[in-house]
Amino acid sequence: MFTFTSTSPKSRFGVAAGHENYKWWALSCTSLGMLLAATNSGTLIIALPDLERSLHASLLALVWVILAYLIAATVLVLMAGRLSDLFGRKRAYVGGFLLFALASLGAGFAPNADVLIVWRVLQGIGSAFLFANAAALVTDAFPKEELGLAMGTNTMVAAIGLAIGPVLGGALVAISWHWVFWFNVPFALAGAAWGALILRELSKPDQIRGYDVLGNVTFILGLTGLVLGISRGGISGWNDTIVIVGLLTAAVLLPIWVLIESRSRAPMLDLNIFKNRLFAAASAASFINGLARFALMFLFVFYFQGAQSNTPIEAGIKLIPLALGMLVASPLAGIYADRHGSRTLAALGMLVSATGLAGMTTLDVHTPYWQSGLWLLLVGVGSGMFNSPNTAAMMGTVPADRRGIAAGARTLLQNTGAVLSIAFVLAIITSAVPKATLFAVFSGLTKGLSEAKLAPFIANMHVALWVLAATSLVGAGVCLLRPKHMSVVESATLSFEEHQSGADREIDAGKTEPGEIVPGLERVRV
């Protein structure tokens, strides 16, 4: 890892880049970003039924309030990672906070769902800069043998946000739905100020300049077409023109995007980083994790508020076990992975989550809460067992000058899984449920519905949960494809050796120009 000590005058706050305690100052800043993002996610999801009633939004528009944010964060996270590698991670991270604050302010003034979706896109752009740089900043600051602990701490803080978010969302909705967005503003501004004061640039800029405009545009259009087609198909029918055009667009553009990335000099997604077996397997597992788990909170908000007729605050409190499981398991899993490797632990986390998801298929309209709380807790523990070791393994195995793009790739894959998770679950839920019942469930107005009328929703919810459980089982298998019993330190050593040997081959083969610095190595061809 290449680091340097700042030669600028000492700040009144924080410590110098070379100070032994700088890592904890950096972690405090990235943890603040994780807390904000996780809390915002929980508050908004719990407020969806109220948003539908207040803005007179259609079910599809309501879902796209969530999806627009995720798509923007997903497709732009690699751009954010690329820009941070070129121009500095501190600047990009602070800018992400500022944009998130502005977009949150505007979202609270939105007069209808369409305008709200536009502001959510801007929020997604801001979060892309936060997510793309948080893992990279932590990896720059921490030694490899403590990286799992650091990632576990970030995940633990995110779990706290997930626990606070739904309860806070229920309280804010009681005042007005506008405050679900406005509460973000002071926290985001505080995060920007804190990052500007204490963060230091520890990595050297990437030597390869350039930006992949064609790749970004192709991916945006392809992924948007895929998600729009899937999410709309269950509501409007699979023979709907927009659904067909969206899916065809995805089928054509996404393979073209892969081809573009394989040939671009400065690609949006550097496919070479996937030649590392550990990074490739952990990346695939990250995608499957997003696919298997992200829709769960979305689904249970409507189960608690819709099928069981709970208030927003009650529903928020009932979701706490999911975050509590992550809160307990994440730091312990990170410490274990630092010493023993991530392979077995990540696979076990997926299996634990699959067990919890399968158990949820026993839930019904009148099931007592202790059962749903138990299954939510189990899924949370599994998620904590998986997330921090998997992230530490991914980030610890790439060269220092590629960590921005690697962090972007991780978030890209996880968010793509999350977007598809919601789209697929929505398609399953809406496929055989009468429209009147759907409106009553998704708006939280089900007090007049009989158990017989709610039966189609419960049955389709069970189908969706079985699909998520099966997906998690597949993820456990993918986790086992990574190198056996490799700790973070060992993976970092292997990564450096592979990177060095690759650079040697380029120099020996004459692929570099005389005097050119090989990225990640203090070597030049002479």
Side-chain angles (χ1 to χ4, degrees), residues 505-524:
R505 287 193 297 273
E506 287 191 6
I507 292 172
D508 294 339
K511 292 183 179 179
T512 55
E513 296 298 324
E516 180 181 347
I517 298 175
V518 179
L521 295 175
E522 296 296 343
R523 296 197 55 201
V524 297

Side-chain angles (χ1 to χ4, degrees), residues 4 39 45-46 63 89 139 158 168 175 205 245 252 254-255 311-312 414 452 466 469 507 523:
F4 61 91
T39 305
I45 286 179
I46 208 72
V63 171
R89 289 166 194 163
T139 307
L168 178 62
I175 303 172
V245 171
V252 172
L254 291 179
T311 65
Q414 184 169 286
W466 278 121
I507 292 172
R523 296 197 55 201

Side-chain angles (χ1 to χ4, degrees), residues 360-380:
M360 291 172 180
T361 61
T362 63
L363 302 179
D364 210 333
V365 176
H366 300 298
T367 300
Y369 171 66
W370 70 265
Q371 293 185 30
S372 54
L374 174 64
W375 300 126
L376 285 168
L377 178 65
L378 197 60
V379 173

Side-chain angles (χ1 to χ4, degrees), residues 90-445:
K90 172 181 176 178
R91 186 180 303 173
Y93 194 70
V94 171
F97 270 122
L98 292 174
L99 182 56
F100 195 88
L102 174 64
S104 297
L105 182 65
F109 287 105
N112 54 56
D114 293 336
V115 175
L116 178 57
I117 289 172
V118 173
W119 284 112
R120 288 286 288 167
V121 169
L122 291 177
Q123 265 192 329
I125 296 173
S127 70
F129 281 91
L130 293 178
F131 283 122
N133 290 284
L137 287 166
V138 169
T139 307
D140 285 342
F142 275 80
K144 297 295 185 298
E145 63 272 13
E146 296 179 359
L147 191 55
L149 172 62
M151 295 299 180
T153 302
N154 264 348
T155 305
M156 180 182 70
V157 171
I160 294 173
L162 287 175
I164 295 173
V167 180
L168 178 62
L172 293 173
V173 165
I175 303 172
S176 170
W177 67 264
H178 308 81
W179 286 100
V180 169
F181 299 101
W182 287 340
F183 95 95
N184 292 318
V185 177
F187 291 104
L189 292 177
W194 188 241
L197 287 170
I198 68 161
L199 287 178
R200 312 286 184 257
E201 290 290 357
L202 295 180
S203 62
K204 292 183 178 180
D206 194 346
Q207 300 295 322
I208 301 176
R209 318 300 280 186
Y211 183 64
D212 182 16
V213 176
L214 182 60
N216 274 274
V217 172
T218 305
F219 186 72
I220 289 172
L221 294 176
L223 181 62
T224 301
L226 178 62
V227 176
L228 178 61
I230 294 172
S231 62
R232 186 181 174 92
I235 298 174
S236 303
W238 297 101
N239 59 349
D240 182 87
T241 302
I242 295 178
V243 172
I244 295 172
V245 171
L247 294 177
L248 285 176
T249 300
V252 172
L253 292 184
L254 291 179
I256 292 176
W257 171 70
V258 175
L259 184 63
I260 292 171
E261 298 309 284
S262 66
R263 299 185 176 184
S264 175
R265 178 179 177 272
M268 166 190 174
L269 177 60
D270 185 357
L271 299 180
N272 288 324
I273 61 178
F274 293 99
K275 292 179 180 178
N276 180 298
R277 180 181 164 192
L278 174 58
F279 188 86
S283 298
S286 185
F287 168 77
I288 295 172
N289 175 65
L291 191 62
R293 295 185 190 142
F294 193 86
L296 194 61
M297 186 178 289
F298 175 83
L299 190 59
F300 268 79
V301 163
F302 296 113
Y303 171 70
F304 288 138
Q305 290 196 54
Q308 295 202 326
S309 302
N310 296 138
T311 65
I313 292 181
E314 289 171 339
I317 293 173
K318 285 187 172 184
L319 285 168
I320 287 178
L322 180 65
L324 185 62
M326 291 179 60
L327 181 65
V328 173
S330 293
L332 297 177
I335 294 171
Y336 180 91
D338 283 341
R339 298 174 182 174
H340 305 287
S342 64
R343 181 178 185 260
T344 302
L345 191 61
L348 283 175
M350 285 283 197
L351 288 175
V352 170
S353 288
T355 302
L357 290 164
M360 291 172 180
T361 61
T362 63
L363 302 179
D364 210 333
V365 176
H366 300 298
T367 300
Y369 171 66
W370 70 265
Q371 293 185 30
S372 54
L374 174 64
W375 300 126
L376 285 168
L377 178 65
L378 197 60
V379 173
V381 169
S383 185
M385 290 172 64
F386 170 83
N387 274 326
S388 51
N390 196 71
T391 302
M394 289 180 69
M395 296 305 299
T397 196
V398 295
D401 66 314
R402 308 301 286 157
R403 284 179 188 150
I405 200 67
R410 181 188 72 86
T411 306
L412 167 81
L413 292 165
Q414 184 169 286
N415 281 5
T416 300
V419 169
L420 294 177
S421 181
I422 288 183
F424 275 120
V425 165
L426 179 67
I428 293 170
I429 292 295
T430 58
S431 60
V433 181
K435 293 295 186 289
T437 303
L438 276 178
F439 177 78
V441 170
F442 284 96
S443 63
L445 302 174

